[in-house]
Amino acid sequence: MTGDIRVLIVDDDFRVSGIHRDIVAARAGFEALPPVRDASSARTAIRDLRPDLLLLDVYLPDGDGIEIGRESGIDRFVLSAADDVPTVRRALGSGALHYLVKPFDPRALQDRLDRYARFRNLLASGSATQETIDRAMAVLHGGAATTPARAGTQQLILDALAEGEASSVELAERVGVSRATAQRHLAELAARGAVEVALQYGSAGRPEHRYRVS
């Protein structure tokens, strides 16, 4: 669909690339391109299909995934079983936005894809203020590490906010959690720049916090 973020997966294990393709395809706003299994095919696909985001393994039969990403200049995540610090540092130093060590919980990739979409939206066009840049980086990296369960609850809250602006009480009812739980997750999401908070003043009583997706 026009406007979707086009994602190319480069992994020599067809089963793993199929899993990652399905994760991408299931996310709203993303399009999963046909995965490729080697460096040569990756270069061809990058040239012909013009993806917006690469999901790269490090070790390919005929080359190095980190180098493929560096030479492409395209936004990328590295998804690899390699967990040695030199490889991780090399990947991040080359410009990779995220590094996930395989195997990982699918929700970890879902979370990073969602952050990436919001990051792109914040830096979509024109000039950017320092505040916008800082906010985009906070959204992309999410501050402190988020557990899969916590990320899952926060995604439910973001999905509920897609229905429209709401208070913490209304969101708690939509998601099926307590008000305290909703408020805790909303505070974390607001700190990361994923949601915006506004005050609504009624005819009487204290002002109410209202939340919406950034």
Side-chain angles (χ1 to χ4, degrees):
M1 181 166 31
T2 303
D4 284 354
I5 298 170
R6 294 160 57 80
V7 183
L8 177 66
I9 298 159
V10 184
D11 196 305
D12 65 340
D13 187 325
F14 73 93
R15 291 165 297 185
V16 171
S17 63
I19 291 170
H20 296 166
R21 177 200 60 214
D22 291 345
I23 292 172
V24 171
R27 308 311 293 167
F30 287 87
E31 176 188 353
L33 300 172
V36 295
R37 300 178 61 182
D38 55 54
S40 177
S41 299
R43 289 187 175 96
T44 300
I46 289 168
R47 182 194 67 214
D48 295 344
L49 301 179
R50 299 181 180 275
D52 303 301
L53 177 68
L54 306 177
L55 303 186
L56 296 162
D57 195 1
V58 173
Y59 302 118
L60 302 172
D62 59 344
D64 176 66
I66 295 174
E67 180 60 22
I68 292 291
R70 186 197 65 76
E71 69 183 37
S72 75
I74 296 171
D75 290 346
R76 64 263 190 200
F77 302 169
V78 173
L79 316 180
S80 176
D83 60 359
D84 59 287
V85 170
T87 298
V88 174
R89 288 175 64 97
R90 186 165 66 90
L92 297 176
S94 76
L97 298 176
H98 286 296
Y99 194 109
L100 285 174
V101 178
K102 297 188 292 190
F104 50 80
D105 189 300
R107 288 173 292 186
L109 179 54
Q110 293 167 354
D111 175 60
R112 283 156 179 80
L113 289 170
D114 291 341
R115 290 189 212 170
Y116 175 71
R118 295 195 294 274
F119 166 81
R120 277 177 61 100
N121 186 57
L122 284 168
L123 298 178
S125 62
S127 59
T129 65
Q130 187 62 54
E131 181 182 359
T132 301
I133 294 168
D134 292 344
R135 194 167 155 208
M137 295 303 293
V139 166
L140 179 65
H141 295 295
T146 303
T147 65
R150 184 179 295 268
T153 301
Q154 291 182 0
Q155 186 56 51
L156 289 173
I157 289 173
L158 289 171
D159 290 343
L161 278 175
E163 301 174 15
E165 181 182 287
S167 68
S168 60
V169 173
E170 291 166 341
L171 284 168
E173 292 176 352
R174 290 181 193 177
V175 176
V177 297
S178 69
R179 179 180 181 181
T181 296
Q183 288 177 322
R184 183 172 68 252
H185 287 297
L186 284 165
E188 291 185 13
L189 289 166
R192 283 167 30 201
V195 302
E196 296 179 357
V197 189
L199 288 177
Q200 179 174 294
Y201 292 87
S203 57
R206 299 177 62 184
E208 180 184 55
H209 286 87
R210 305 286 296 181
Y211 301 86
R212 60 177 178 267
V213 176
S214 296

